[in-house]
């Protein structure tokens, strides 16, 4: 039963025919804005945050430069390096990601699994992320990530991304 509770509910074939089709190199190119919350396992909202992303691709390599601002005024920066490694398959690295994130696109959906070194009250915990992103239209993407440690759910992160138009500063 414990192994079942750790397993992702993501089944790539389920989303294969969903539209609009997600093209990672197109959507994550240019500037994006995101708004998010972190909820603990009881559902209480613990943190709110915004993210400004500057994304660029060169061939099969993408750089996602993320600047986070939290509701308490604190700031954080994360720079992802993404790599297209096969048909609809991606990997990702960042300084606070342990090892390599593995992602798969199917239809309008991207699913990621990775371990994040998460700072909490002066300590750092390696937390498993099961991350699903759904493209709603050419501008909006919704994201839900479940965080676990030793298979136990710690909480979730919910984000809404909006891709800026070419004329938005």
């Amino acid at each position: 039963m414990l192994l079942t509770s750790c397993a992702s509910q993501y089944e790539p074939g389920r989303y294969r025919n969903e539209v609009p089709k997600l093209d990672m190199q197109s959507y994550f190119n240019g500037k994006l804005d995101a708004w998010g919350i972190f909820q603990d396992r009881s559902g209480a909202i613990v943190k709110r945050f915004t993210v400004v992303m500057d994304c660029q691709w060169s061939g099969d390599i993408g750089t996602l430069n993320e600047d986070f601002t939290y509701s308490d005024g604190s700031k954080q920066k994360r720079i992802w390096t993404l790599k297209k490694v096969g048909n609809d398959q991606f990997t990702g690295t960042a300084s606070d990601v342990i090892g390599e994130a593995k992602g798969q696109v199917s239809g309008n959906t991207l699913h990621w699994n990775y371990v994040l070194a998460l700072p909490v009250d002066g300590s750092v915990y390696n937390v498993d992320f099961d991350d699903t992103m759904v493209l709603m239209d050419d501008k909006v993407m919704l994201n839900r990530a479940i965080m676990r440690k030793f298979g136990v759910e710690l909480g979730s992160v919910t984000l809404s991304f909006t891709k800026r138009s070419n004329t938005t500063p």
Side-chain angles (χ1 to χ4, degrees):
M1 187 167 88
L2 181 60
L3 290 177
T4 302
S5 69
C6 297
S8 169
Q9 299 301 309
Y10 182 77
E11 297 173 27
R14 176 183 291 174
Y15 307 104
R16 177 179 37 246
N17 297 320
E18 295 293 324
V19 291
K21 298 288 185 199
L22 174 58
D23 177 338
M24 290 277 290
Q25 293 157 294
S26 177
Y27 186 79
F28 288 105
N29 193 33
K31 293 251 187 197
L32 290 92
D33 298 291
W35 299 264
I37 57 173
F38 167 71
Q39 294 174 271
D40 66 18
R41 74 178 116 213
S42 76
I45 297 172
V46 177
K47 275 195 173 185
R48 293 176 294 118
F49 58 94
T50 60
V51 187
V52 175
M53 298 174 66
D54 187 7
C55 311
Q56 298 177 5
W57 286 83
S58 177
D60 288 341
I61 306 294
T63 302
L64 280 61
N65 189 339
E66 301 177 320
D67 289 305
F68 293 80
T69 302
Y70 293 92
S71 54
D72 65 3
S74 63
K75 295 184 181 288
Q76 181 183 17
K77 182 177 220 38
R78 179 175 298 121
I79 300 173
W80 283 94
T81 300
L82 304 183
K83 184 176 182 183
K84 186 172 184 178
V85 293
N87 192 24
D88 298 327
Q89 303 281 325
F90 292 84
T91 59
T93 58
S95 63
D96 55 353
V97 171
I98 307 303
E100 192 172 65
K102 300 205 181 296
Q104 179 174 349
V105 173
S106 180
N108 68 339
T109 304
L110 167 66
H111 183 250
W112 283 111
N113 284 108
Y114 54 95
V115 177
L116 186 69
L118 190 65
V120 178
D121 299 328
S123 296
V124 176
Y125 299 94
N126 292 346
V127 177
D128 298 315
F129 271 70
D130 185 357
D131 202 339
T132 303
M133 305 171 88
V134 180
L135 185 64
M136 305 302 288
D137 61 30
D138 64 336
K139 299 273 186 231
V140 177
M141 178 179 282
L142 299 179
N143 181 197
R144 168 114 190 218
I146 305 299
M147 300 168 35
R148 293 183 178 92
K149 181 77 175 169
F150 303 120
V152 176
E153 187 172 326
L154 303 175
S156 64
V157 176
T158 305
L159 281 152
S160 173
F161 294 90
T162 301
K163 185 173 176 66
R164 293 185 190 179
S165 64
N166 293 335
T167 58
T168 304

